[in-house]
């Protein structure tokens, strides 16, 4: 689905706030509801995990094992009502919710101070793509790219195998398995890549893709997501 089409199709349905039903602005969520969205607050400098200490700190797990992905920037905490909006967008074809999230996240997250050379979405395996009819990360990447005037490479990454149950494997084997389930198609020598996804939980997927991108010659990988689970 092309982002422009997605946006045009939604324009008439955005007059009412998705959360309170009041008069909304262009984003589809009124300013009062926007002000109450769960911001992330102090996050780890690398992985955006909320940390108690002051700004610019690093969480225990990133200190122990510095991540390959330089920086994950998340717009919100994965908490009410952001979690509901993301679920509506992702699993219930609620594209109005998606549109609002993207508009607000573009303002919340950027434009980034250190802009990547291009944005690219975390891919879905084709089987999942056919079930859902769209990849929410593609729509987010297109929306952010348009707002920030950055190029978007929609098909740079491919998910080649659907990831199976990995409970018998140890952490390193799991990570290797996950990394091998992604493939890079394109020239990215020396580029700073901005990976885009909806939610980051453990960060394992972003980390696996980052390893792939660095192997393929990328200079640096950072990530932009709508929400971070605490
Ligand atoms: Zn409202
Ligand atoms: Zn961290």
């Amino acid at each position: 689905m092309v982002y422009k089409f997605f946006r045009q199709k939604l324009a008439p349905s955005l007059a009412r706030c998705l959360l309170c039903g009041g008069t909304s602005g262009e984003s589809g969520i009124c300013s009062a509801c926007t002000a109450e969205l769960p911001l992330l607050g102090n996050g780890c400098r690398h992985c955006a995990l909320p940390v108690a200490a002051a700004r610019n700190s690093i969480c225990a797990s990133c200190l122990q094992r510095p991540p390959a992905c330089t920086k994950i920037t998340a717009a919100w905490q994965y908490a009410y009502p952001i979690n509901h909006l993301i679920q509506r967008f992702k699993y219930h074809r609620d594209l109005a919710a998606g549109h609002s999230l993207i508009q607000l996240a573009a303002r919340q997250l950027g434009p980034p101070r250190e802009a990547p050379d291009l944005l690219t979405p975390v891919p879905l395996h084709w089987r999942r793509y056919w079930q859902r009819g769209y990849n929410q990360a593609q729509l987010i990447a297109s929306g952010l790219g348009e707002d920030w005037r950055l190029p978007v490479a929609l098909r740079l990454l491919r998910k080649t195998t659907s990831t199976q149950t990995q409970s018998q494997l140890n952490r390193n084997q799991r990570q290797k398995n996950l990394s091998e389930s992604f493939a890079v198609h394109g020239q990215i020598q020396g580029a700073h890549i901005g990976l885009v996804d909806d939610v980051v939980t453990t960060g394992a997927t972003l980390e696996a893709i980052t390893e792939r991108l660095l192997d393929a010659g990328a200079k640096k990988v950072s990530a932009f997501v709508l929400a971070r689970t605490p």
Side-chain angles (χ1 to χ4, degrees):
M1 191 184 323
V2 179
Y3 183 69
K4 275 196 183 116
F5 170 70
F6 158 68
R7 196 182 47 181
Q8 277 161 9
K9 216 174 97 183
L10 288 166
S13 65
L14 293 174
R16 297 209 155 271
C17 172
L18 284 174
L19 294 172
C20 71
T23 312
S24 82
E26 202 195 325
S27 73
I29 294 181
C30 74
S31 47
C33 289
T34 302
E36 291 191 2
L37 294 177
L39 293 176
L40 199 61
N42 281 333
C44 163
R45 174 140 54 100
H46 294 303
C47 73
L49 185 79
V51 285
R55 299 170 109 220
N56 242 8
S57 45
I58 301 177
C59 76
S61 106
C62 289
L63 269 177
Q64 204 179 28
R65 185 190 275 266
C69 180
T70 313
K71 188 172 174 53
I72 300 174
T73 316
W76 302 286
Q77 280 183 52
Y78 191 68
Y80 184 82
I82 289 295
N83 52 1
H84 278 234
L85 292 170
I86 291 177
Q87 281 166 23
R88 277 159 62 175
F89 176 33
K90 197 164 166 178
Y91 303 114
H92 304 285
R93 303 189 68 93
D94 186 342
L95 299 180
H99 174 84
S100 297
L101 288 166
I102 295 166
Q103 293 286 298
L104 294 171
R107 265 169 263 164
Q108 186 67 33
L109 294 174
R113 231 177 294 159
E114 202 188 334
D117 296 308
L118 59 92
L119 297 176
T120 195
V122 170
L124 282 182
H125 187 253
W126 63 267
R127 201 174 287 126
R128 191 87 75 79
Y129 187 91
W130 281 108
Q131 281 162 358
R132 200 171 291 171
Y134 56 99
N135 173 2
Q136 69 284 354
Q138 271 187 359
L139 294 174
I140 302 167
S142 305
L144 297 182
E146 191 176 294
D147 202 270
W148 300 343
R149 298 176 193 279
L150 291 177
V152 182
L154 288 178
R155 289 176 192 82
L156 176 67
L157 292 160
R158 246 174 254 170
K159 182 102 165 73
T160 50
T161 50
S162 53
T163 319
Q164 287 120 27
T165 323
Q166 307 202 77
S167 49
Q168 280 97 335
L169 306 176
N170 70 28
R171 191 186 188 283
N172 284 339
Q173 288 167 324
R174 270 206 307 270
Q175 196 63 18
K176 186 166 177 285
N177 238 15
L178 187 58
S179 198
E180 282 169 357
S181 71
F182 293 99
V184 179
H185 293 265
Q187 256 312 323
I188 52 165
Q189 204 64 38
H192 173 190
I193 311 283
L195 255 179
V196 178
D197 207 358
D198 52 347
V199 180
V200 58
T201 305
T202 62
T205 302
L206 295 179
E207 199 58 13
I209 297 175
T210 298
E211 280 163 18
R212 272 312 217 204
L213 289 167
L214 294 175
D215 282 348
K219 174 181 71 183
K220 180 177 171 175
V221 179
S222 42
F224 302 91
V225 301
L226 298 181
R228 174 77 163 100
T229 57

